Each structure stands twice: as structure tokens, then as C-alpha cells.
Amino acid sequence: MTKRILVVEDQEDNRRILRDLLVHAGYEVVEVDDGEGALPAAASHRPDVILMDIQLPLLDGYEATRRIKADQALKHIPIIVVTSHALSGVEAKARAAGCDAYVGKPYSPKGWGQKAMYN
């Protein structure tokens, strides 16, 4: 069965890069372009993992993560923060919000195999 990944990213170029990388690797990709859409998308599509940007319109990635992790039916879904904000403290803040892993932008296809997705 194909693994499904929810990509929460407001920048079309970044979504396209992730979509191309993930589809090429055999994943099914569901996309939303704001934090507010992340919760209903997670509930309806039940992804195997969520790639979450931090700076999003309507609701930032921290709060979207907190809301997903607060939902009993969704809290088991791993959430990986994907952000260009490599400032000190961002990873700690993301983990405090409930994120399971952190990936900095720009990203590369190297290391984005299945093992990297679930570490």
C-alpha cells in the first residue's frame, strides 16, 4: 500500500519540489496551502506523515501541529517540520508544539528516503 504524505506549505514552488520528490519516490501526496486547512485534511485523508511548514497563512505551523496532536484520532501521525527558519530555538519550539522531527530548507533529494522520513 502506498504511503500518504500531507504537505502543509504555502509556497507553490516549495510544494512543487516536495511533490516531485515524494511522488517520484512512490508516495501519495495531499497538499494544503495554509495551517487552517491542515486539521481537516489530516482528518479526511489520514496521512502516514505530515510535512509542516512553520510560517503559514491563517494559522502557523506550531498551532496547526498543536491542534492535530490534541485530536485523539490524529495524534499518532508523525509531524515533521520543514522550514527555512534555522534560527536558534526553532527546532525546540517545534518539538514543544508536538512535532516529531525537523528538516531545514533548502532540502535535497539526498536523504529523503523512507528511512529518513520516519527517523
Side-chain angles (χ1 to χ4, degrees):
M1 186 157 89
T2 302
K3 298 286 186 183
R4 180 177 300 138
I5 299 177
L6 172 59
V7 174
V8 185
E9 169 64 64
D10 61 322
Q11 298 296 315
E12 173 59 33
D13 290 344
N14 291 336
R15 282 198 317 273
R16 188 184 71 248
I17 291 166
L18 283 172
R19 179 186 329 114
D20 291 349
L21 287 170
L22 295 169
V23 168
H24 180 73
Y27 296 100
E28 177 185 340
V29 177
V30 176
E31 302 172 36
V32 296
D33 62 2
D34 62 61
E36 200 167 82
L39 188 62
S44 64
H45 294 285
R46 301 297 174 152
D48 296 289
V49 68
I50 299 170
L51 300 181
M52 179 79 70
D53 189 19
I54 292 297
Q55 283 199 310
L56 295 165
L58 305 179
L59 190 68
D60 70 31
Y62 299 122
E63 184 59 27
T65 295
R66 280 190 281 273
R67 291 183 187 187
I68 290 168
K69 292 297 188 173
D71 186 312
Q72 288 297 96
L74 304 175
K75 70 179 186 177
H76 71 281
I77 301 170
I79 300 177
I80 301 171
V81 166
V82 181
T83 185
S84 59
H85 297 282
L87 302 174
S88 177
V90 172
E91 182 174 0
K93 188 174 178 183
R95 288 189 185 275
C99 292
D100 300 284
Y102 177 95
V103 175
K105 295 177 192 172
Y107 27 72
S108 162
K110 294 179 181 178
W112 275 73
Q114 187 173 3
K115 182 178 177 188
M117 295 300 293
Y118 291 99
N119 281 344

